[in-house]
Amino acid sequence: MLGSLSDSAVLEEEYLHVLLQSNAAGIITTHDFTLQHPEITIPVVVVDRVGQETQYGVFSDNKAGGRLAAEAICQAGAKNILLIRGPLDGAENINQRFEASRSYLMKQDRNFSICDSDSFDFERIQKEARVYLEEFPEVDSIIAPSDIHAIAYIHELLSRGKRIPEDVQVIGYDDILMSQFIYPSLSTIHQSSYQ
């Protein structure tokens, strides 16, 4: 069974109920719900968004990925960097990326500002982008915590007449399928948890 929760606790409950009723042998998920449901006794494997309490998980080297993103931005001549943190939903992977990028930028003595995101929802990220790009109009580089964030920022930058990457360079993370189809193309960190 394949399903998308889209941050819906009700939908998550329904999927779990269906899986348990159909005698599923295990669950592969991107959301670790095991703390909220200790009664679930079948194996649960969390892919990518692994928290410290996750018993079984498959994930990429997020620290190396965060450092790679910051290195790429710096090597391209970044002067005013917007580093987006979050969403901090209990998954350590995104925080590890953020901390590695921040650490690298500090060691390189780069000028950067930190902005928080609280969602993976494209429309909510676009609203965040409008606010942060208004607050930091001098930004010439953006390190996004995901490709969805990067794409939302690119849309907002283009609506402001900015050229990518000539005026503002943007780098995402995950190399999702959608990132191959946007124009201008998205720079992204590819570290597949699925291989």
Side-chain angles (χ1 to χ4, degrees):
M1 173 189 257
L2 182 63
S4 174
L5 300 177
S6 192
D7 296 331
S8 170
V10 172
L11 198 51
E12 179 177 85
E13 292 288 332
E14 290 176 15
Y15 278 137
L16 289 174
H17 180 73
V18 169
L19 287 169
L20 295 173
Q21 291 297 318
S22 61
N23 295 318
I27 300 172
I28 300 173
T29 178
T30 58
H31 176 246
D32 189 355
F33 50 79
T34 55
L35 290 178
Q36 294 90 348
H37 296 281
E39 74 280 4
I40 295 177
T41 58
I42 61 175
V44 176
V45 177
V46 181
V47 178
D48 192 36
R49 297 175 71 188
V50 178
Q52 297 211 3
E53 302 296 322
T54 301
Q55 186 172 8
Y56 302 106
V58 179
F59 51 93
S60 62
D61 186 344
N62 290 290
K63 292 177 184 175
R67 188 184 69 255
L68 284 170
E71 283 177 9
I73 289 287
C74 289
Q75 287 173 359
K79 300 210 180 342
N80 294 302
I81 304 163
L82 184 61
L83 178 59
I84 304 166
R85 173 176 43 205
L88 300 176
D89 60 357
E92 280 297 305
N93 62 337
I94 293 178
N95 195 46
Q96 289 173 348
R97 295 175 201 169
F98 167 80
E99 288 298 335
S101 291
R102 186 179 65 79
S103 176
Y104 183 85
L105 295 173
M106 290 174 68
K107 286 178 185 169
Q108 299 298 311
D109 198 29
R110 297 296 174 127
N111 181 36
F112 66 97
S113 300
I114 296 171
C115 295
D116 290 315
S117 176
D118 67 359
S119 180
F120 283 105
D121 177 75
F122 187 80
E123 290 177 359
R124 285 175 58 186
I125 299 166
Q126 279 189 299
K127 289 178 184 174
E128 292 171 356
R130 284 184 203 108
V131 170
Y132 292 140
L133 292 173
E134 197 68 36
E135 187 176 342
F136 302 102
E138 74 287 351
V139 70
D140 65 9
S141 304
I142 298 172
I143 300 174
S146 73
D147 287 348
I148 296 293
H149 285 83
I151 293 167
Y153 273 80
I154 287 173
H155 276 245
E156 183 59 26
L157 288 162
L158 291 173
S159 75
R160 293 167 180 256
K162 299 288 186 178
R163 298 171 302 153
I164 312 297
E166 294 85 358
D167 298 328
V168 181
Q169 51 184 335
V170 179
I171 190 163
Y173 196 101
D174 295 322
D175 196 19
I176 62 173
L177 183 62
M178 186 188 332
S179 67
Q180 299 172 28
F181 301 110
I182 71 158
Y183 182 84
S185 62
L186 173 63
S187 296
T188 182
I189 300 298
H190 175 84
Q191 287 190 317
S192 180
S193 298
Y194 302 94
Q195 290 181 347

